[in-house]
Amino acid sequence: PAEPRRAGPPCRSRARSRGAVGAALLPSMLMFGVILASSGLLLMIERGILAQVGPPPLHPPAGLSRRDGPDSTAELELEVLRDTRNRTIRALCGQRSMPRGVWELPPGQRRTVLQHLLVSDKYRFLYCYVPKVACSNWKRILKVLDGALESVDVKGKMDHKSDLVFLGDMKPEEISYRLKHYYKFIFVRNPMERLLSAYRNKFGEIKEYQQKYGVEIIRRYRKNGGNSAGDDVSFSEFLQYLLDEDAERMNEHWMPIYNLCQPCAVRYDFIGSYERLHADANHVLERIQAPSFVRFPERQAWYKPVTAETLHYYLCNTPRRLIKELLPKYILDFSLFAYPLPNITSEFCRQ
């Protein structure tokens, strides 16, 4: 698939049908930008209006001609999705108050994004890693490309620090050069699905997180929870904790993607999706001209994916007020990357 364009008007040589799709969807694409710019966001959420707002449809309007066949349909849907993301990012990031580069960011925000941008000087790319969006496998690939790891299939726990080069460890002139000249990409995921994945992994399996965060969460939000080992945090308690936390000081596993990777300050050349992980990863590997033996790793046998049914179960068993109050903290992730807001209506949850 062609790389998404970040700036400039659409190419005039595109087929008229594609132009028609863009024109038809433009009002919906910009809807989030209008909402974000208004002071009525919280009121709209409170009244349930935003619960019905989702990204533009991924299918073209009725009557629009296109090539027959499932492959051509999937390609058109993908093009519309990427165009949606690019237009929304341009609309939001084009506002005067938004940063035009990393040096316009406050020190704390700049430090965060620079420490999440991994560097490959050999293949001239920057990858902003997002925890719970297959970042461990991408780190394996970087280590293989730089010769620090023999294969992506090597067993063992991933070391998330050694044999990796972080943009934040470089001098300002080196940072600026790479931001300007290197290929930059990021992978994103449905925000609520990512939060559920982090919750199940960190509080269900990792004792370090149970002791560091779980004990504190239970102490804050549960009466007589002083004897808890932190391994029985409920999803509602976790969301309440996120609601009370400053987004810029959150742990990276649940910090909003916008805060981690600053898509307005860093002009990413490609935004991949967790939902199309292997196809988008192969596109990136081809674009950076990685050796043919380097491939994106298969999912580990022990990994338990978050299914749509699992996500719906958790959301529908969580107080609706809590989810509505939390949405503004992650609204940029929903809007910029064209993810639908969670459906938590009573009718849907009854089904």
Side-chain angles (χ1 to χ4, degrees):
E3 294 178 36
R5 299 186 177 184
R6 295 297 310 273
C11 179
R12 293 184 179 180
S13 61
R14 288 183 180 175
R16 289 186 178 181
S17 61
R18 295 179 180 177
V21 172
L25 294 177
L26 184 56
S28 296
M29 294 173 192
L30 299 181
M31 181 181 296
F32 278 111
V34 174
I35 292 173
L36 292 170
S38 73
S39 60
L41 175 60
L42 292 175
L43 181 61
M44 294 179 72
I45 291 176
E46 181 62 29
R47 293 181 176 178
I49 298 174
L50 276 182
Q52 310 303 322
V53 177
L58 298 186
H59 298 281
L64 188 65
S65 61
R66 66 184 180 197
R67 296 191 306 270
D68 294 331
D71 291 341
S72 60
T73 300
E75 287 178 6
L76 183 56
E77 290 178 350
L78 179 59
E79 182 177 347
V80 171
L81 172 62
R82 288 179 174 166
D83 193 48
T84 299
R85 287 175 174 168
N86 293 335
R87 287 175 181 265
T88 308
I89 289 174
R90 285 202 300 270
L92 177 72
C93 298
Q95 298 182 30
R96 292 182 178 180
S97 60
M98 304 306 290
R100 298 294 192 274
V102 297
W103 306 116
E104 295 185 15
L105 293 170
Q109 295 180 16
R110 181 168 63 247
R111 189 181 310 113
T112 296
V113 65
L114 292 181
Q115 286 301 325
H116 282 82
L117 282 165
L118 295 172
V119 183
S120 174
D121 284 327
K122 184 176 181 180
Y123 291 91
R124 296 176 65 84
F125 70 78
L126 302 177
Y127 158 59
C128 187
Y129 79 88
V130 178
K132 309 312 298 178
V133 191
C135 73
S136 294
N137 281 339
W138 272 113
K139 290 176 180 178
R140 290 181 187 275
I141 289 177
L142 263 78
K143 293 187 178 189
V144 171
L145 291 175
D146 289 339
L149 199 64
E150 180 180 349
S151 167
V152 296
D153 297 320
V154 172
K155 303 299 181 183
K157 186 178 180 180
M158 165 59 61
D159 188 327
H160 291 268
K161 296 296 182 182
S162 66
D163 300 317
L164 293 169
V165 180
F166 297 84
L167 191 62
D169 295 334
M170 296 184 169
K171 298 177 181 179
E173 60 271 17
E174 296 174 331
I175 292 173
S176 295
Y177 176 84
R178 286 161 177 78
L179 285 170
K180 182 177 180 180
H181 296 286
Y182 280 20
Y183 181 74
K184 299 173 288 295
F185 67 94
I186 178 180
F187 273 72
V188 300
R189 186 179 187 178
N190 180 297
M192 294 307 299
E193 183 180 308
R194 176 173 170 251
L195 289 181
L196 179 55
S197 177
Y199 163 76
R200 294 206 308 174
N201 173 237
K202 300 308 176 186
F203 297 104
E205 303 172 5
I206 312 298
K207 181 168 291 188
E208 177 186 352
Y209 277 77
Q210 295 168 358
Q211 295 175 344
K212 182 175 181 179
Y213 295 98
V215 171
E216 172 64 18
I217 291 173
I218 291 174
R219 184 191 67 80
R220 285 194 200 179
Y221 305 112
R222 189 185 304 177
K223 292 182 179 180
N224 304 320
N227 295 326
S228 172
D231 58 352
D232 58 341
V233 176
S234 71
F235 189 57
S236 295
E237 291 170 333
F238 174 57
L239 295 190
Q240 183 63 56
Y241 169 73
L242 297 182
L243 181 61
D244 294 338
E245 286 293 291
D246 183 347
E248 294 183 11
R249 293 181 172 85
M250 284 182 176
N251 180 280
E252 63 176 7
H253 289 85
W254 43 79
M255 181 182 285
I257 298 175
Y258 180 88
N259 296 78
L260 286 173
C261 296
Q262 295 290 341
C264 287
V266 179
R267 294 293 183 115
Y268 292 99
D269 299 289
F270 184 80
I271 300 175
S273 299
Y274 186 83
E275 296 76 17
R276 282 181 44 89
L277 184 57
H278 281 271
D280 285 352
N282 288 335
H283 169 73
V284 171
L285 292 174
E286 181 179 346
R287 173 60 179 75
I288 65 175
Q289 298 183 341
S292 58
F293 70 87
V294 177
R295 56 175 177 76
F296 197 81
E298 294 295 329
R299 177 181 291 167
Q300 299 291 332
W302 51 262
Y303 180 75
K304 299 178 181 179
V306 175
T307 65
E309 292 76 14
T310 304
L311 179 61
H312 294 158
Y313 173 82
Y314 274 90
L315 293 180
C316 287
N317 285 279
T318 299
R320 195 178 310 170
R321 170 200 62 80
L322 192 57
I323 297 176
K324 288 182 178 181
E325 291 179 358
L326 187 63
L327 282 179
K329 192 159 285 188
Y330 293 89
I331 195 66
L332 288 175
D333 287 0
F334 281 107
S335 58
L336 291 181
F337 308 127
Y339 284 109
L341 292 170
N343 188 344
I344 52 173
T345 61
S346 299
E347 180 181 359
F348 175 80
C349 288
R350 279 196 300 269
Q351 296 175 354

